[in-house]
Amino acid sequence: MALNDKYNPQEIEDTWYAYWMQNKYFHSTPDDREAYSIVIPPPNVTGVLHMGHMLNNTIQDILVRRARMLGKNACWVPGTDHASIATEAKVVAKLKAEGIEKDSLTREEFMEHAYEWKDKHGGIILDQLKKLGASCDWDRTAFTMDADYSESVIDTFIDLHKKGHIYRGTRMVNWDPSALTTVSDEEVIHKEVNGKLYYIKYKVAGSDETLTVATTRPETIFGDIAICINPNDERFTHLHGKKAIVPMVNREIPIILDEYVDVEFGTGCLKVTPAHDINDYELGKKHNLENINILNADGTLNEAAQFFVGEDRFEVRKKMMQALTAADALVKIEDYNNKVGFSERTDAVIEPRISMQWYVAMEKLAKPALDAVMQDDVQFHPPKFKNTYRHWMENVKDWCISRQLWWGHRIPAFYYGEGENDFVIAKSAEDALPMAIEASGNASLKLENLRQDEDVLDTWFSSWLWPISTFDGNAIKNGKENISEELKYYFPTNDLVTAPEIMFFWVARMIIAGYEYLGEKPFSNVYYTGIVRDPQGRKMSKSLGNSPDPIKLMEKHGADGVRVGMLLTSPAGNDLLFDEALCEQGRNFSNKLWNAYRLIHIWEAEDKPQPEYASFAIQWFESRFSEALGEINAHFDKFRMSDALMSSYKLVWDDFCSWFLEMVKPPYGEKIDAKTLAEVKGILENVLRILHPFMPFVTEALWQDMADRNPEQALIVAQWPKAKTIDTEIAKTFKQSNDAIVEIRNFRKEYQIANKVALEIKVDTNTDAMPVHLPTVSKLANVSNWSTVTEKPAGHISFLVDGVNYYIAAGDNIDTEAEKEKIQEEIKYLNGFLIGVNKKLSNERFVSSAPEKVVAIEKKKQADAIEKVKQLEAKLLEF
């Protein structure tokens, strides 16, 4: 495509993405090259692109594109997660809007609606990733409920159950009353909430005495089973063995003794409601207390509560003040801040609930995965997250994997009786029947006598197989000795890019699955991104309205601009304070590159000798490029993506565009020599190569415009540059030449000498040999003649560069009388300023009473002014 004079990202992005797709550059199949594989953290099938996705997938794309250019067989597997809770909530809401209740449908009918919704909305986020430039192997797009993948999930459940790692039991769980399902500990977000502390008095049975208990949840008193006091609390020794009466319900409950109660905390009395608090639950088990569940699954009160039946728990809480007052049981109410658990999926307040669920016993499974990270077989970047990982893995809890939903992988347990253990585990009812007959001893059992467990598996129970099952859905069933050639080739994957908040949900569990099923790590490196925050440091969210729409950002600044903007300040593991100005800076960088190319593009070549300044420029930049390339490669090796970009940015903006192109540019009206133009284009190609992983669209467009290329020569598969020798001497010469050019330009500016006016410069030979490259300085600073002197010539103005004195004749170009007058005026002003400062510092009262810092500031003003006067007086002598 022909390039416009101005950079317009919208005109090139769709074109070149289609070109990459058409030529299947993203597709990978096993061959004799070194494999580089990476799996996308599968976004929820319900999702749309947000800023966290942008950062995460930009980093992945950078890694994949560079791996391709390094000659590796790069495979980036995309896909989505079925997201049980979030997706079911979306489908239920859609049905409700259509006047359909979930309960009115069969499971099969509901699943039809769910798949219809998934087919309509499920690909949105993947299409949005294409706008970002994500070079995923879209032919491999996976979904956690694909047939093969689903089979591997069920195979895993059956295998772990057979090994004794999965069991069924009654425990207290985190219950989401909105989604009507359990959630794991890691899916509970604790937030500071402004609430109330209710002080409630309980009568002591058989006396006029009362006990006061403080609670934030007065609605749960209907489920109270005991009052607990510390056996060493002398205030309540006389109550040992007695009973208290629960207000309103007037039920007698025992006063029990346990050192769990802190004598110094609160009133020293604790109401025990085992069915609605995890600590009370453990206390209840210890003292063999019964459980009274007073809440329905949706958070409304049930018949066991006796009061407010059918009303929501929070509405009841509001009414309890009046009800307790009427029962003469309310002592007082105080404002109280406490942490409350919320469901990560629905933001509903979590309700502790005793329930029969399925669990994975984690302790034995976790050991190899813990060792892998501690011994750096799996390396974390940054490594600070190792301690967090170790703490969690050393204190790992059993994993509740059952969810009370329909959307997901149904638990392969088939019940043949009413007993808790009257079940068998099998892939299908047909497989389960003979097993059930054998287990029950009932030969007359039929298929219709079996009922499959209604629950589905936790979504993470499928995604922990992601690096395995995306390559081979039969790996679990066939065993590690019989895995597919694809899995052998791509596994273990190389790098994982993810967020630290899912270290336990996903990263740890994938490592566990890798060692359990293939006997090795699932990836070598884990790069943890930070949280994208707004300039005020707030986490971006829809509710705060502080999260920009990534698609609109890309429409405004271009995908390359946004990619650069996201990475400019995003060191691994640290939060990114995002400002849209960063994307504008990224867009400006694309413009700079575009304009640099257009400049080179318009140069016409002729066959003539290469100027000395051009030869020097080529040698210097090739050395500088090799130096920068070494830095960039080192940053990549250490997963410092932001630093790798910044090194590339400075090389291109400061060295290539600001200096190199000016050094080689032919004089006005002249053509460039053919040798220099060819070498400049070769250098530009290398510049485009190192920028391509960061800015794929603009670099591919410029690369393709440089020459007629066939698909095998596209930039996306071009070779990553190789460093050459770094010439330290030429770097030194360039630095000093650069400094000389800057000083001469400053001289022109100070004395208002036009750039077109050629200057003559003398160099003091009493200093070291002149290290500047004269042809370069002459060209860029317009110096017509150089000569040497042993002392400063009269009527010359001097400047110093790295110990070398340079002299420029004042001559006709400078109005010496006006300059002298200007200097004298400045000296006069400074002397007047010094009178005031000296007067202040000679005042003993000021010096002794003013703060030390204030006195120091005045002394610095004095010293600076004296030094400036000396410089001006010396300068005055030069005229």
Side-chain angles (χ1 to χ4, degrees), residues 46-63:
T46 59
V48 292
L49 205 60
H50 59 60
M51 297 305 289
H53 291 135
M54 291 283 285
L55 175 62
N56 183 292
N57 286 281
T58 294
I59 291 168
Q60 289 178 83
D61 194 48
I62 288 167
L63 292 170

Side-chain angles (χ1 to χ4, degrees), residues 2 18 70 96 154 163 169 208 224 230 258 286 337 346 364 387 436 467 470 556 596 626 676 700 783 814:
L70 287 169
K96 188 168 286 190
I154 301 306
K163 292 174 178 174
D208 294 330
D224 285 353
N230 191 304
D258 200 291
K286 181 178 178 181
N337 292 342
T346 65
K364 288 183 180 178
N387 287 333
T470 48
K556 183 176 180 182
S626 292
T676 297
E700 185 73 74
V783 177
I814 301 173

Side-chain angles (χ1 to χ4, degrees), residues 551-611:
I551 301 300
K552 290 182 179 177
L553 276 180
M554 289 189 282
E555 288 172 352
K556 183 176 180 182
H557 302 288
D560 290 328
V562 176
R563 288 166 67 114
V564 169
M566 291 289 291
L567 274 176
L568 279 173
T569 55
S570 60
N574 292 328
D575 292 352
L576 161 65
L577 294 180
F578 177 79
D579 190 325
E580 190 175 337
L582 293 169
C583 296
E584 186 177 351
Q585 186 177 347
R587 166 72 182 254
N588 291 341
F589 188 39
S590 298
N591 279 331
K592 187 80 170 178
L593 185 64
W594 189 272
N595 291 335
Y597 173 78
R598 299 299 298 177
L599 174 66
I600 297 168
H601 187 68
I602 62 173
W603 289 344
E604 293 183 34
E606 67 177 355
D607 190 12
K608 63 180 181 178
Q610 185 179 52

Side-chain angles (χ1 to χ4, degrees), residues 679-745:
E679 289 176 328
V680 169
K681 287 183 176 180
I683 284 172
L684 175 59
E685 285 191 345
N686 273 339
V687 165
L688 294 177
R689 289 173 205 255
I690 63 164
L691 286 180
H692 179 74
F694 304 104
M695 311 165 70
F697 291 109
V698 65
T699 53
E700 185 73 74
L702 297 179
W703 174 273
Q704 296 283 350
D705 194 70
M706 287 184 70
D708 292 329
R709 305 185 193 270
N710 59 45
E712 289 74 30
Q713 296 170 319
L715 179 56
I716 189 174
V717 289
Q719 187 178 31
W720 186 253
K722 287 184 168 59
K724 298 180 181 178
T725 303
I726 298 172
D727 189 333
T728 54
E729 285 303 313
I730 206 167
K732 179 182 176 183
T733 303
F734 169 79
K735 168 69 168 59
Q736 293 173 328
S737 302
N738 180 307
D739 290 344
I741 292 165
V742 170
E743 286 293 337
I744 296 168
R745 287 174 174 177

